[in-house]
Amino acid sequence: MFNKKPLVLALIVGALATICWGNAARAASPEDLNKDSDEALHTLTSTNPVASDLAGRAKEILIFPNIVKAGLIFGGAYGEGVLKRGPQIDGYYNSVTGSWGLQAGAQSYGYVVFLMSDKAVKYVHQTHGWEIGTGPTVVVMNTGAAKNLSSSTLKDDAYAYIFDQQGLMAGINIEGTKITRIHNP
């Protein structure tokens, strides 16, 4: 008898991939991405004093205003963002995540990476794809970690904030995120 489980799983993964990466085909214009990134950074820094302090001290800021993530055992996420040096645009990037494990659901969120050192900025500019977890030290901030951070304890290369989470994604998974420079969003 024909086993339908692999076919069903393949169809589900295909549907989830379409949801996640479908946005790539309908990418925002650079103007829209710039505007969305500015709004996302403003929202984060106006509601979080530690993020505001990091923004003032960062060499550059990588802003992903909207990442879409979905998964059922296998999953993925995709979004586009802006790298800023002060008010100037220093490039456009995409963030692609693949994951597998006990997971189910879909969500969207934004994240900002504050690049605090010349080493982190140089690494982002010189690599053909930056994987979080390799290269510069990235600290993912949450409420508890942010309470213990002060100007005297800032010692890592980059700090990332995840914010504006919507939807439901549950489970335990292994994932890797790759950030790559794109020429036109």
Side-chain angles (χ1 to χ4, degrees), residues 123-130 178-181:
Y123 190 83
V124 169
H125 283 283
Q126 291 184 347
T127 59
H128 296 288
W130 175 39
K178 187 169 185 177
I179 299 169
T180 307
R181 187 177 184 109

Side-chain angles (χ1 to χ4, degrees), residues 7-29:
L7 177 60
V8 170
L9 183 58
L11 290 173
I12 291 170
V13 170
L16 292 173
T18 300
I19 291 168
C20 288
W21 288 290
N23 285 344
R26 297 181 307 275
S29 69

Side-chain angles (χ1 to χ4, degrees), residues 79-135:
E80 294 178 343
V82 174
L83 180 64
K84 295 186 83 169
R85 178 181 295 264
Q88 300 299 315
I89 303 299
D90 200 11
Y92 295 97
Y93 288 77
N94 66 23
S95 174
V96 178
T97 301
S99 59
W100 68 273
L102 298 173
Q103 60 183 323
Q107 72 177 168
S108 67
Y109 57 92
Y111 76 90
V112 172
V113 181
F114 298 100
L115 303 171
M116 306 305 290
S117 69
D118 291 329
K119 173 185 165 187
V121 171
K122 182 178 177 183
Y123 190 83
V124 169
H125 283 283
Q126 291 184 347
T127 59
H128 296 288
W130 175 39
E131 293 181 42
I132 294 205
T134 65

Side-chain angles (χ1 to χ4, degrees), residues 32-51:
D32 289 339
L33 190 53
N34 295 344
K35 179 178 168 270
D36 291 347
S37 294
D38 287 344
E39 288 174 3
L41 183 61
H42 174 74
T43 298
L44 176 63
T45 58
S46 67
T47 59
N48 187 311
V50 175

